[in-house]
Amino acid sequence: MMPADLETDSVRLREAMAKALTEDGVLADPAWRQAVEAVPRHRFLPGFYLPAHEPDAHGLTAWEPVTAGLDYGRWLAAAYSDTTLITQFDGDEPDWKAPAVRHGGAPTSSSTLPSLVVRMWADADVHEGHTVLEIGSGTGYSTALACERLGSADVTSIEVDPHRLQQAASALYACGYTPTLAAADGLYGYWPEASFDRIVAACSFRAVPPALLAQTRPGGTILLTLSGWLYGYARVLLTANGDGTAEGRFLGGTVSFMSARTHAAPAFGNPAHWAAGLPVMGRTAHHSPERITAATEEAFHLRFLAQCAVPDAQMTTVGEVVHLVDVVTGSAATLTPVEDRWEVREGGSVRLWERVEGVLSAYDEAGRPRPETFTLHVDDGGQRLRHPRMPGLPLPRP
C-alpha cells in the first residue's frame, strides 16, 4: 500500500527535477518544463533495479530490486532523479510483487533519464500539430510527456515486447493519456497510422530502416541513434524527401540506446577458439585499441567510425588481450600489449584491425573532425556517412 503522502511527495520531487533540468539548460522550452512537472514518472515505475555497491562472489554486478514496498524513499527519490532506470534483463519480465536480486545479465528495457527524453523530443523539433511515431514505448514515461505536450490523438507509440507495452498502457491510461499503442517491431514502423511528421526512436539501429523513410511525410524528420556490434553510437537527424531518400546530420554528445532486438549482436563463442586459428607471427599496430576503448568523448565517436569499417565485428577484452571477432566472414584479430607497443595478429578474409587503422589514420589526417561535421545520405544505393575531408563510410544494409 502506498503512503498517504505519495502524491504530495511526488509533486515536490517533480518540481525539483524540472527546476534542476531547467538550470542545466535542458528545459529551455516552457512547454516541455510544464510536461515534466505534470507527468508522474513514479506511476510508470512499479519497480526497477539499481546496482549494488560491490559485485557478487563471481564478480558479476548484483542488481538490487527497488520498489515502494521494499524502500519507499529510495524508490521515489530514484524515480525523480535524472537517471536511466533498468526495468528488465534478458527479456525476463520481473514480478515486482516478489522481486529478486539479479546477477549480471543484459538490460533489455529501461526508463531513459528524463533529460535525454526531453532532449530527444526537442532535437526532433516536435511541436503542437505534429503527428508523432515513437519507437520503443518502454515504461510509457516518454510517451506520456509527448501526450502532455501534443495531445494524445497525435501520438503513436510502438513496443516490440507485448508485456512491456501492457504495463505502459496501464500506466498511461491510468494517468488519462490515450495515445495509439501497438505491439510492433520498430524496424518496420507502423503503417496503419502513417504518415508522420516526426519519428523518434528510443532504441538504436545498425542502419536507417527504409520503412521509416516511407512513413515520414516529405519534409518530416526522423531522429534515431545508429549503433552496431562494436557498440559505437551516433545520433542522426534526417529529413525525408518523400521518395525513399533522406539526408541529415549527426548530433553531438555521447548518447547510447539499447539495440532494436532484431539488430542485436549475435553470440560468437569463446574468444580463445578464434585466437587459436590466427598466425603465430604478428605485426606492430599503427594505432592503439585504446583510441576506441577509452572513456573519452573522442573515443566514443571513433568507435562508431571504426564500426562503419568493420560492421560485422565484435570486440571483447580477456585479460590484457583485445579480441575482434567477425561471425559473418569468420575473420578475427587480437591486439596484445608488448612493452610500449601493441602486437596485432589477424586472420580470415577481412583484416579487421587493418581496416580500423585505415579509418583512424583518415580521421587524423582530416584534422579529427567532430560528429556534427558528418552527414548521412540515404538512397537506393545504400547509406553512407560523409565528411568533406574523409572517404565515405558505408553503413550495413538495413
Side-chain angles (χ1 to χ4, degrees):
M1 186 173 181
M2 296 292 185
D5 55 356
L6 171 59
E7 294 307 318
T8 301
D9 290 343
S10 66
V11 168
R12 174 177 53 80
L13 290 172
R14 277 204 301 283
E15 291 175 349
M17 183 174 73
K19 179 181 178 183
L21 294 178
T22 301
E23 291 173 349
D24 289 342
V26 176
L27 288 176
D29 185 338
W32 283 117
R33 176 168 181 167
Q34 185 277 328
V36 171
E37 290 177 339
V39 176
R41 191 186 186 202
H42 68 276
R43 292 198 186 180
F44 298 87
L45 291 165
F48 47 85
Y49 296 96
L50 293 177
H53 295 299
E54 300 292 337
D56 65 15
H58 301 287
L60 299 173
T61 300
W63 293 93
E64 299 174 342
V66 181
T67 66
L70 291 172
D71 188 333
Y72 169 75
R74 188 186 189 196
W75 168 75
L76 195 60
Y80 289 104
S81 65
D82 191 30
T83 306
T84 292
L85 300 171
I86 306 300
T87 55
Q88 186 191 76
F89 286 91
D90 302 318
D92 297 331
E93 193 62 30
D95 178 5
W96 292 118
K97 295 180 180 178
V101 174
R102 295 282 311 206
H103 297 272
T108 48
S109 189
S110 66
S111 177
T112 303
L113 66 163
S115 62
L116 178 54
V117 171
V118 174
R119 179 179 168 190
M120 293 285 287
W121 289 126
D123 285 344
D125 194 30
V126 173
H127 292 289
E128 292 83 352
H130 284 156
T131 54
V132 171
L133 171 65
E134 177 189 42
I135 299 173
S137 310
T139 64
Y141 174 67
S142 175
T143 317
L145 289 175
C147 291
E148 184 67 34
R149 172 67 190 269
L150 305 175
S152 298
D154 288 332
V155 178
T156 298
S157 185
I158 61 175
E159 169 62 47
V160 71
D161 186 330
H163 296 291
R164 291 277 86 204
L165 185 68
Q166 183 178 19
Q167 289 199 5
S170 296
L172 284 162
Y173 297 153
C175 291
Y177 303 116
T178 56
T180 298
L181 301 174
D185 189 333
L187 190 64
Y188 306 103
Y190 196 62
W191 284 103
E193 294 295 316
S195 295
F196 301 98
D197 295 303
R198 300 289 186 267
I199 295 180
V200 177
C203 60
S204 62
F205 298 95
R206 297 184 75 203
V208 182
L212 302 189
L213 297 180
Q215 293 174 30
T216 305
R217 290 196 177 102
T221 57
I222 303 168
L223 178 65
L224 53 75
T225 301
L226 295 172
S227 65
W229 296 348
L230 285 185
Y231 297 102
Y233 299 89
R235 288 197 310 149
V236 62
L237 182 64
L238 289 166
T239 299
N241 296 321
D243 57 359
T245 68
E247 296 184 5
R249 61 185 177 86
F250 281 75
L251 307 179
T254 54
V255 172
S256 60
F257 278 105
M258 297 174 191
S259 295
R261 296 192 184 184
T262 46
H263 280 192
F268 58 80
N270 187 337
H273 296 167
W274 292 82
L278 297 177
V280 175
M281 298 299 294
R283 63 173 177 85
T284 297
H286 301 308
H287 294 278
S288 162
E290 294 167 329
R291 292 203 64 186
I292 63 172
T293 61
T296 65
E297 188 168 337
E298 183 180 61
F300 187 93
H301 173 44
L302 278 176
R303 185 180 290 219
F304 177 78
L305 297 182
Q307 181 176 269
C308 293
V310 287
D312 299 322
Q314 298 180 65
M315 182 169 57
T316 188
T317 301
V318 181
E320 293 185 310
V321 180
V322 178
H323 295 257
L324 288 170
V325 173
D326 182 338
V327 300
V328 176
T329 66
S331 305
T334 62
L335 292 103
T336 305
V338 180
E339 296 179 349
D340 60 346
R341 65 187 181 89
W342 287 83
E343 182 180 79
V344 184
R345 295 190 300 140
E346 297 182 278
S349 61
V350 178
R351 293 296 186 261
L352 298 174
W353 192 248
E354 185 177 313
R355 284 197 180 182
V356 172
E357 287 179 325
V359 171
L360 296 178
S361 294
Y363 170 80
D364 291 341
E365 292 168 5
R368 300 188 172 189
R370 291 184 56 80
E372 302 92 322
T373 62
F374 288 81
T375 57
L376 182 67
H377 298 256
V378 182
D379 55 35
D380 291 340
Q383 303 184 18
R384 185 168 290 270
L385 185 64
R386 293 178 180 172
H387 189 276
R389 297 192 301 276
M390 281 187 69
L393 294 171
L395 270 65
R397 287 285 180 179

